[in-house]
Amino acid sequence: MAARWSSENVVVEFRDAQATAMSVDCLGSHAVLSGRRFLYMVNLEAPSEQPRKIGRQSKWDVGTVQWKPHRDEAHVFAASSNQRVDLYSWKDGCGEIHSSLQGHTRVI
């Protein structure tokens, strides 16, 4: 695994995102910012590019979002909101919901 180190700090604001959670994939190439209506995919290789959006249909904010930690399936991540966990797939610049899990009686 190659690591790239730099003393450069990059600050980018996404004011319309209203993100409640963030996660970086295990490769360090993408970050997901999660809001109530959209998930915003940020390319960390070029963070000043406009983020891509994945639509959500929920009235609840995302409590947590987490990428799969294994390199062979680094394109899969999960976002939890209220009593549901949605699994997403991000491949070739396109994201879609893979499946939803619901079984808790309390908030995750």
Side-chain angles (χ1 to χ4, degrees):
M1 179 164 69
R4 290 170 285 180
W5 296 93
S6 173
S7 61
E8 178 183 346
N9 290 328
V10 177
V11 177
V12 181
E13 290 184 0
F14 302 110
R15 293 178 190 249
D16 62 336
Q18 298 177 350
T20 56
M22 183 192 95
S23 182
V24 177
D25 70 352
C26 68
L27 304 174
S29 60
H30 289 91
V32 61
L33 300 170
S34 57
R36 181 173 291 175
R37 295 188 178 191
F38 296 101
L39 298 173
Y40 295 87
M41 298 301 298
V42 179
N43 181 359
L44 296 178
E45 305 286 328
S48 59
E49 287 181 359
Q50 189 68 19
R52 305 255 177 122
K53 294 180 183 179
I54 302 172
R56 293 186 66 238
Q57 298 296 324
S58 177
K59 65 179 184 176
W60 305 102
D61 284 329
V62 172
T64 185
V65 63
Q66 183 66 46
W67 288 89
K68 190 159 184 173
H70 304 292
R71 206 172 168 84
D72 57 341
E73 293 189 22
H75 63 279
V76 176
F77 64 94
S80 70
S81 60
N82 200 18
Q83 299 172 347
R84 192 172 90 188
V85 176
D86 296 323
L87 300 176
Y88 292 89
S89 178
W90 179 258
K91 284 187 178 179
D92 302 323
C94 184
E96 60 184 14
I97 191 163
H98 187 281
S99 59
S100 292
L101 307 171
Q102 188 170 352
H104 288 271
T105 56
R106 298 185 139 212
V107 175
I108 299 172

